[in-house]
Amino acid sequence: MGKPEFIGKKSKAAGGWGALKSCGKKLLASGAPLSGAAAMLKANQPDGFDCPGCAWGDPAHGSSFEFCENGVKAVAWEATDKRVGPKFFAKHTVSELRSWTDYELEKQGRLTHPMRYDAETDRYVEVSWDDAFADIGRILNSLDSPDRAEFYTSGRASNEAAYIYQLFVRLYGTNNFPDCSNMCHEASGVALEQAIGIGKGTVTLEDFEKADAIFVIGQNPGTNHPRMLGDLRRAAMRGARVAVFNPVREKGLERFADPQDKLEMLTGGSTAIASEYFQVRLGGDMAAVRGMAKAVFAADDAALAAGQPSVLDHGFLRQHTAGFEAYRAAVEATSWDHIEHQSGLERAQLEHLAQIYIESERTICTWAMGLTQHRHSVATLREISNFMFLRGNVGRPGAGLCPVRGHSNVQGDRTVGINEKPPVAFLDALEAEFGVPMPRHNGHNVLAAIGAMLDGTAQAFIGLGGNFARATPDSSLIAKAMRQQKLTVNIATKLNHSHLLPGEVSYVLPCLGRTEIDRNARGIAQIVTVEDSMCMVHGSGGINKPASKELRSEVGIIAGIAAATVGSEVVEWAKLAQDHNLIRDLIARTIPGFHNYNERVRRPRGFRLYNAVDHRVWNTHTQRATFSDCALPEATEHQQALSEDGLFVLQTFRSHDQYNTTVYGLDDRYRGIYGERRVVFVNPKDLAEIGVEAGDRVNIVGRHDDGVARVAEDFRVVPYDLPRGSVAGYYPELNVVVPFSAAGDQSDTPLSKSVLVSFKPVERQLSAA
Ligand SMILES: Nc1nc2c(c(=O)[nH]1)N[C@H]1C(S)=C(S)[C@@H](COP(=O)(O)OP(=O)(O)OC[C@H]3O[C@@H](n4cnc5c(=O)[nH]c(N)nc54)[C@H](O)[C@@H]3O)O[C@H]1N2
Ligand SMILES: Nc1nc2c(c(=O)[nH]1)N[C@H]1C(S)=C(S)[C@@H](COP(=O)(O)OP(=O)(O)OC[C@H]3O[C@@H](n4cnc5c(=O)[nH]c(N)nc54)[C@H](O)[C@@H]3O)O[C@H]1N2
Ligand SMILES: [Mo]
């Protein structure tokens, strides 16, 4: 029997003992070993809370708890016994706190009291909930139009919180709903809506048990969706082919030791996940998929010429799709040269992958931010849909399209109305239910909100969770935008930089986290509900004692602001806050798919929202699964970088020790980084060419062509196996070089994975001899 394998610099697999060890450390460091550990056992259980870690689905068998290192971190992070209360704020001015790192700020612990910014002393001071609500209501009502306020949502908000938030904001009179989704899976929503008539994925977890081939494109599940690795591992073990496109060789996708598997844990064994791993160029996936499609068409021609059955699913194409011939022509018109240069992959490699696709009866394609944060993300995701249509891989068991969502309820928030472009039918339903007119004009997404905050159109910012100022591009611009506001309000569990950019009047309102018990005035514990990446809606009830007696639920806080702003004539906010069942009844009456919501959500594992694609019903403009015949982009940012000396394309991704802007620790174990975050990964040959050595410190200079100077200062250079011309580093530190003025076509998502940059060595201060 081999020695247990500890993940360290030399480890070959993700997961395993290293993951377990890290969990232990995290729980201890969080200051809440007991409640944290007990809480973990309730994560994603029928009678527990929904893990705030990610939006991966939960297995139907609820017997064993699903172990996940990052779930543990997320839970421990919330269950900490450290507190940020009035005493803390008395000790530190806001200007001082602004000089702290994200890591230092969040490490201080949970917010405990509602606080109001006092400009004279530059400190947050305690305020009563009622005074805070009244003041916020007064300022919102003093604006000369409701469109002058921005209402941000981060995807951890429950369905109940999100629903009454949108209801309040629409009664107030605007559709300004900038949403973390605008920086995340927006392109998936837009592309899938056009292609299949619903902006969501089509697969369930059970489909992963049936697929013969799974394409995993542009995501790093070992870090960001560890529970997905369990499903990929089981698929790999029963012989399914897992093909990966990723410019970076991510350890979790290569080998994985499942902490749930006793034998692997004892023997130090691990399972190979990816059978094929191709290091595509940044933004080169559309070309790669088109190359595969070209090979599929060629194989089809060859099969027909040889009198063999077609490799295309003609029945599906005829009965269910529109635009096939135009697509075929577009593929034929695309040259292999173009495909090879844009993808960085060779024709033979893509033909090999096409063969895997052809041999597979049931294929799933999954993706995340590696596909959605580029300029032509929507076109890329349309291409993936095109490719899947060729063999009818949508709307049948074991096959389908699977955008792997980020925040644990980001999908649910959109379902219940967090949408700056609300569907007409939804507004009609709200009007019918509440008997008052709803705003009909589109509102602001994230980039539009920032624009409005900068040019003075917007004067108030309310954040339901999240860290707007750090998650968005061009950090210094955002700081300015926040400080210009008449009112900034942040509903949060922990202190972050968005709270330290106060407008004229500013509040930080502390809320219960998902792991905490939410009791109403009669002492009855309430549940909330969430929707995962597989459209499963289920309940979530906290089990930990709240971090402070002063905390209110998100629903309670929104209800308080709403009552003070729009009054309680149309909606009895206080009643809804006391009984979430009533909110669910409203959702059931105004949003399709939620009938018997209160009953169905209490079933173990909840229920799957109706998805027309399951029945091969296509709510697109053609009433069919719709091909796109888009040409490949002429050149991607990566190709641009390759054409000019010293120019690089930067992708900003997540380390293993962070949750978005929340930094749990300074290690990125799987990539061999310890104790630091200001690093930039560069191909060794590129380093040699620009005369920079491993370990040198550089400034990363933004090269986006809009006349704005952008510099990320003092990063250590780490040689890494990346395609030449591309470099990588961590978000949010690198958001200072992500341009606000560039965005994805149709998705309007910041280009966080294709930022043009160059390097400038940091001048060493020579000590006086
Ligand atoms: N522990 C933890 N879990 C999380 C999060 C977290 O921060 N921490 N965040 C949550 C959220 S909100 C989200 S959206 C998800 C994010 O989940 P991911 O999308 O996995 O997150 P990123 O770290 O941004 O990783 C992007 C991956 O795509 C690859 N990539 C980048 N550009 C390209 C490209 O052009 N083509 C291809 N093929 N690959 C590319 C990168 O090399 C990297 O492996 O995770 C969620 N879960
Ligand atoms: N450069 C670059 N930028 C990016 C990305 C990237 O890959 N690169 N990714 C983008 C993506 S995918 C996303 S989703 C966004 C994320 O953007 P956000 O969702 O805005 O950011 P988070 O870091 O998830 O928010 C963390 C904060 O949420 C608060 N919080 C945590 N739990 C709760 C809760 O239960 N209730 C409330 N009310 N507050 C809570 C805490 O105060 C914490 O500080 O960032 C985007 N920005
Ligand atoms: Mo996300």
Side-chain angles (χ1 to χ4, degrees), residues 186-207:
E186 196 66 53
S188 308
V190 172
L192 293 178
E193 189 91 44
Q194 295 170 358
I196 57 171
I198 178 169
K200 298 182 180 183
T202 69
V203 304
T204 64
L205 269 193
E206 288 69 45
D207 290 322

Side-chain angles (χ1 to χ4, degrees), residues 175-227:
N175 286 309
N176 284 351
F177 287 108
D179 171 10
C180 74
S181 183
N182 303 142
M183 299 179 272
C184 186
H185 264 294
E186 196 66 53
S188 308
V190 172
L192 293 178
E193 189 91 44
Q194 295 170 358
I196 57 171
I198 178 169
K200 298 182 180 183
T202 69
V203 304
T204 64
L205 269 193
E206 288 69 45
D207 290 322
F208 281 82
E209 295 167 11
K210 298 182 188 128
D212 309 309
I214 303 170
F215 285 79
V216 179
I217 309 190
Q219 66 169 131
N220 179 22
T223 286
N224 298 311
H225 303 93
R227 289 184 299 121

Side-chain angles (χ1 to χ4, degrees), residues 184 369 406-407 654 660:
C184 186
M369 297 303 100
H407 267 301
R654 292 152 173 80
N660 298 338

Side-chain angles (χ1 to χ4, degrees), residues 53-54 70 184 217-220 223-225 245-248 250 280-283 285 368-370 374 406-407 651 653-654 658-660 753:
C54 75
N70 282 311
C184 186
I217 309 190
Q219 66 169 131
N220 179 22
T223 286
N224 298 311
H225 303 93
F245 284 121
N246 198 313
V248 181
E250 303 286 19
V280 64
R281 285 189 175 139
L282 286 175
D285 303 273
M369 297 303 100
H374 292 288
H407 267 301
Q651 67 146 320
F653 56 19
R654 292 152 173 80
Q658 74 182 81
Y659 193 92
N660 298 338
K753 300 283 192 273

